[in-house]
Amino acid sequence: MKIAVIGTGYVGLVTGTCFSELGNHVTCVDIDEEKIKNLKKRKIPIYEPGLDVLFERNVNHGRLTFTTKLDKGISGAKVIFLALPTPPGEDGSADLQYVLKVAEDLGPLLEDYAVIVDKSTVPVGTAEKVRAKIAANANVEFDVVSNPEFLREGVAVEDFMKPDRVVVGTSSIKATSIMDALYAPLVRQGNPIIFMDEGSAELTKYAANSFLATKISFMNEIANLCEKLGANVDDVRKGIGTDSRIGRRFLFAGIGYGGSCFPKDVQALSKSSIDADYDFKILNSVMEVNQKQKLKLFYKLQDYLGNLEDKTIAIWGLAFKPYTDDIREAPSLYNIDELLKSGANVQAYDPEATEKIKEIYGDKIKLCDDEYEALQDADALLIITEWPVFRQPDFDLMCKKLKQKVIFDGRNLYPTDQMKELGFEYISIGRKEIHA
Ligand code: NAD
């Protein structure tokens, strides 16, 4: 099948590459000329495990191409994916300007019947708006389908190739059969393609992300209570996670969720609820808890060290989660901002995200080549992202590098008993503080 993907970011590039791996001919379109120039030179603009191999293979076979020209990109395409940004607008609602602009541009360019597939996360009613924008200028038949994307950065290729489910919102029989055929290779093991109406598909994505964010904020509240009551959140997590009605995943306490999806999607669902005259109480608490939790480590550090002026603080982990270079809404940003405001010097290391952090902070913080360099003469270490490389560090070397053996661990990476034995001051989330 010939496919076009409009918007070649995290979702668009993974979608395009994976569909080309299945034998389709895919053209990825983007307005970012630099990005397309680099992609043509085989430079992938994001870090996503496993993407490079698929990318290389399909570019070599001519199944995956790139352009900045929308007309060229969609020429002959039976399916046109929209993988465009839907950032939060000023009032928290999803800003649809990118999606609707492309819809408007598409109308006169359609040469033959095509299915326009909305992969961006958009509020209920967007498929209808996209349809109206295209219809205003189109001379051919077309369908608009909602097909929200559930991939997770860091495991995006695997998620795309082996989805738990594919959700497709459409009322068109023709579009149903095209989408069914397109996704058939990805659901051979029996995972379902769930067909529904467009609005329900649009809401499914917000409901999924908001539910997961709720789990995180709930566990963070339990962690905060553990600290007050002297209980251990890791034990509580195991105790409840083994209940099959609850499940083990998404129960880790920490310093809040970040990334390009959860914060904006919870906010957008809350705004949709207000617009529908519905008071979605839980969502407001989920956001409030998360906002506070992001700075939990900073406040603990401030309590411990007092005045942070001229103190040197090491940071391990800058990406919003491991295996990505994405720093959108990352807890690291909030903590760095507060540290700089307090006059502290920041020395940070992340296996993949340093370039992106440099674009924001320039030389206001020191970006290090490895985790131990970041510790040099530091008054304390903050662990922000749970990259595997931080899980079994050389503790002896850490002791030599740090000025003070103080660790604030926002991801509960180490057993408290071990840290006691090693003689660290160790303050984590929802667990007993260890003081040497
Ligand atoms: P992104 O910012 O990484 O990529 C969007 C791309 O669209 C950019 O490269 C931008 O240059 C391009 N673009 C903007 N206007 C354009 C235009 N007129 N024509 C062509 N290209 C244009 O965004 P993303 O993270 O890939 O997210 C895209 C959508 O998918 C959002 O709605 C997001 O909520 C949703 N989503 C994201 C993820 C994720 O993990 N990133 C997961 C699921 C769903």
Side-chain angles (χ1 to χ4, degrees):
M1 210 181 285
K2 190 156 189 310
I3 294 171
V5 180
I6 321 299
T8 312
Y10 282 88
V11 170
L13 187 58
V14 172
T15 301
T17 306
C18 290
F19 275 129
S20 67
E21 175 72 6
L22 298 172
N24 299 292
H25 279 83
V26 181
T27 306
C28 291
V29 183
D30 207 285
I31 42 164
D32 185 336
E33 302 207 349
E34 187 69 18
K35 188 179 271 188
I36 293 297
K37 206 165 85 189
N38 282 329
L39 283 163
K40 283 181 175 171
K41 283 194 225 152
R42 298 170 187 234
K43 279 194 206 150
I44 302 180
I46 54 170
Y47 172 72
E48 191 56 56
L51 186 63
D52 49 353
V53 178
L54 269 55
F55 176 91
E56 201 60 38
R57 180 161 48 229
N58 289 289
V59 169
N60 284 343
H61 280 87
R63 283 191 298 261
L64 182 60
T65 53
F66 303 94
T67 180
T68 52
K69 307 262 183 303
L70 187 60
D71 53 350
K72 196 172 151 209
I74 66 156
S75 179
K78 198 169 188 181
V79 179
I80 302 171
F81 283 96
L82 308 184
L84 295 154
T86 49
E90 268 173 33
D91 60 0
S93 60
D95 182 351
L96 294 179
Q97 62 165 309
Y98 304 97
V99 173
L100 296 181
K101 171 74 174 71
V102 170
E104 200 175 323
D105 294 346
L106 273 178
L109 299 176
L110 291 178
E111 295 159 343
D112 210 343
Y113 173 85
V115 185
I116 318 315
V117 184
D118 204 342
K119 254 211 174 307
S120 299
T121 303
V122 291
V124 175
T126 304
E128 209 34 65
K129 288 182 184 166
V130 169
R131 194 185 329 269
K133 284 278 181 202
I134 298 174
N137 299 304
N139 300 311
V140 295
E141 224 193 297
F142 67 92
D143 278 307
V144 175
V145 163
S146 167
N147 170 218
E149 182 50 61
F150 297 96
L151 63 76
R152 295 161 298 165
E153 285 175 24
V155 278
V157 171
E158 203 186 321
D159 279 352
F160 197 91
M161 290 306 219
K162 295 179 193 162
D164 286 343
R165 79 310 204 182
V166 175
V167 169
V168 177
T170 179
S171 36
S172 151
I173 294 169
K174 198 168 175 182
T176 299
S177 91
I178 291 173
M179 294 302 283
D180 208 23
L182 183 63
Y183 276 108
L186 300 180
V187 292
R188 290 178 61 235
Q189 287 180 344
N191 293 351
I193 305 180
I194 307 171
F195 286 96
M196 57 183 80
D197 65 75
E198 295 86 336
S200 302
E202 288 164 339
L203 189 55
T204 298
K205 172 69 192 183
Y206 283 108
N209 274 1
S210 298
F211 186 75
L212 294 170
T214 303
K215 272 182 114 173
I216 294 172
S217 278
F218 179 83
M219 280 314 286
N220 284 335
E221 290 265 72
I222 292 288
N224 295 340
L225 193 58
C226 283
E227 287 175 16
K228 300 246 178 233
L229 300 178
N232 180 327
V233 74
D234 282 346
D235 292 336
V236 177
R237 172 176 56 77
K238 287 177 202 151
I240 64 170
T242 39
D243 183 327
S244 59
R245 293 169 304 173
I246 295 174
R248 290 185 166 87
R249 301 173 72 183
F250 263 79
L251 293 182
F252 287 84
I255 47 169
Y257 58 79
S260 69
C261 291
F262 284 5
K264 87 170 168 60
D265 291 351
V266 178
Q267 207 183 1
L269 184 58
S270 167
K271 180 63 175 57
S272 288
S273 309
I274 294 167
D275 292 346
D277 201 19
Y278 183 72
D279 183 12
F280 202 145
K281 291 191 173 64
I282 295 175
L283 285 188
N284 297 331
S285 303
V286 168
M287 289 187 282
E288 200 185 319
V289 169
N290 195 59
Q291 211 51 33
K292 278 197 197 144
Q293 201 71 14
K294 276 185 175 175
L295 284 177
K296 181 128 185 132
L297 221 48
F298 172 77
Y299 290 125
K300 283 175 184 252
L301 175 77
Q302 207 173 34
D303 281 351
Y304 183 91
L305 286 181
N307 188 357
L308 294 176
E309 182 93 38
D310 291 329
K311 293 279 189 316
T312 297
I313 308 300
I315 291 184
W316 279 6
L318 299 163
F320 86 91
K321 66 174 185 177
Y323 295 113
T324 181
D325 59 352
D326 197 344
I327 55 165
R328 291 179 282 186
E329 286 296 312
S332 63
L333 304 179
Y334 292 79
N335 284 279
I336 292 172
D337 285 347
E338 289 304 316
L339 287 167
L340 293 179
K341 260 192 254 164
S342 313
N345 305 310
V346 177
Q347 307 181 155
Y349 170 71
D350 186 282
E352 294 296 337
T354 40
E355 279 308 311
K356 293 210 161 133
I357 284 281
K358 202 173 185 173
E359 286 168 20
I360 297 180
Y361 293 102
D363 41 14
K364 285 195 199 132
I365 67 173
K366 183 178 175 199
L367 291 166
C368 302
D369 291 332
D370 69 54
E371 60 271 41
Y372 300 105
E373 187 192 337
L375 303 179
Q376 192 65 51
D377 296 324
D379 294 283
L381 163 66
L382 300 190
I383 301 178
I384 306 264
T385 316
E386 66 277 32
W387 282 95
V389 70
F390 304 146
R391 286 189 186 273
Q392 289 178 330
D394 180 339
F395 288 112
D396 290 339
L397 187 54
M398 287 175 78
C399 293
K400 281 185 201 138
K401 294 269 179 181
L402 283 164
K403 188 151 77 187
Q404 302 193 58
K405 288 170 66 177
V406 183
I407 301 177
F408 290 84
D409 182 355
R411 301 296 175 188
N412 289 358
L413 295 189
Y414 314 122
T416 48
D417 290 348
Q418 182 189 14
M419 299 316 275
K420 195 176 177 68
E421 252 171 55
L422 290 166
F424 280 97
E425 294 276 300
Y426 181 64
I427 294 158
S428 51
I429 304 288
R431 305 188 300 178
K432 158 174 98 186
E433 292 189 4
I434 300 300
H435 293 288

